Amino acid sequence: ERRVVVLISGNGSNLQALIDARGTEEGLGGDIVAVISDKADAYGLERARQADIPDRVLSPREFPSREEYDLHLIRLVEEYEPDLIVLAGFMRILSPAFVLRFHGRLINIHPSLLPKYKGLHTHRRALEAGDNEHGLSIHFVTEELDGGPVILQATVPVELDDDESSLARRVQVKEHLLYPIVVRWFLQGRLQLLGNHPVLDGQPLPRQGVL
Ligand code: GAR
């Protein structure tokens, strides 16, 4: 069975979508073998416990620098011998050492239509820009922050009366649909990063109509 480690910082609703996918007919294609958080009070840790998944906390406060923290994070992740590392609302920038160590098996979900709105407050920025379309991106992680090759995106409409939270909710509904699909592709051996290009069943991604 393929092994997945999920990194979180907060609510963990995307983690929950992955947990729930295990119980569906298609399954997840592997086991979630650990959930790791940089925050001790992340609600996602409770979700892991409820699902009998080992949960670990590695707090940055215990380390003098990002590099030191990330070296310990690498060690902690490697204890679980994962095939895939999934960032699900993990709100720390990862050092090159971490990103390079897990190159090609590290994916992230970001709440914007990349390359638009890298970084934080994506929903607010989409609203302020007057966009009538917003969405999410799932991508392989590379050294460039939120700049790695995109695997899959989905759009949502922006409604006239939207605020940050109503728009975030609309995006999250689609996140929860798409992340399990991408994780399953990877764990089934259908998705890989070749050079700087995500490839699904031998075809370059992203492409229209892939679902
Ligand atoms: C998700 O919307 C995810 O796209 C976003 O954080 C949220 C986590 O929610 N990620 C980022 O902003 C990464 N920079 P969750 O904890 O309920 O899954």
Side-chain angles (χ1 to χ4, degrees):
E1 183 105 271
R2 303 269 179 136
R3 301 167 64 82
V4 186
V5 167
V6 181
L7 270 57
I8 62 164
S9 298
N11 180 25
S13 67
N14 281 285
L15 166 66
Q16 190 67 54
L18 298 173
I19 289 172
D20 293 346
R22 301 176 314 170
T24 64
E25 197 176 321
E26 287 182 292
L28 188 63
D31 250 3
I32 304 173
V33 293
V35 171
I36 300 173
S37 173
D38 62 324
K39 299 234 165 64
D41 61 354
Y43 181 65
L45 292 167
E46 179 60 28
R47 299 180 190 270
R49 280 176 224 129
Q50 291 287 331
D52 280 322
I53 299 166
D55 65 286
R56 305 285 294 266
V57 175
L58 193 65
S59 170
R61 268 175 289 186
E62 295 161 36
F63 301 93
S65 66
R66 179 177 306 282
E67 286 65 33
E68 283 290 316
Y69 178 85
D70 280 19
L71 289 180
H72 281 77
L73 188 60
I74 289 172
R75 227 178 282 164
L76 181 57
V77 169
E78 285 189 331
E79 274 182 38
Y80 295 94
E81 302 184 348
D83 299 287
L84 175 67
I85 298 96
V86 174
L87 305 181
F90 186 68
M91 300 306 281
R92 282 180 62 83
I93 294 173
L94 291 163
S95 63
F98 189 97
V99 170
L100 292 174
R101 182 70 192 84
F102 299 115
H103 181 83
R105 51 197 179 106
L106 176 60
I107 62 175
N108 182 42
I109 190 160
H110 183 78
S112 78
L113 294 170
L114 291 172
K116 275 185 136 174
Y117 312 132
K118 297 174 180 181
L120 298 176
H121 309 301
T122 58
H123 309 300
R124 187 192 310 169
R125 287 154 71 198
L127 287 170
E128 281 169 3
D131 294 356
N132 50 32
E133 194 175 67
H134 184 46
L136 68 104
S137 305
I138 299 169
H139 64 94
F140 281 106
V141 177
T142 60
E143 281 187 64
E144 197 198 335
L145 177 67
D146 296 329
V150 169
I151 300 163
L152 193 61
Q153 294 180 310
T155 61
V156 301
V158 180
E159 310 288 357
L160 280 175
D161 59 353
D162 267 335
D163 57 20
E164 242 177 287
S165 65
S166 64
L167 186 54
R169 270 199 303 279
R170 195 172 306 120
V171 169
Q172 285 222 334
V173 169
K174 290 225 169 161
E175 291 189 341
H176 302 159
L177 288 173
L178 263 58
Y179 220 4
I181 290 172
V182 171
V183 168
R184 188 182 305 122
W185 284 344
F186 188 92
L187 295 175
Q188 291 175 337
R190 297 174 58 193
L191 170 67
Q192 45 186 319
L193 183 61
L194 289 181
N196 210 32
H197 301 285
V199 169
L200 176 68
D201 298 333
Q203 302 291 321
L205 286 170
R207 58 193 156 87
Q208 295 297 318
V210 75
L211 295 178

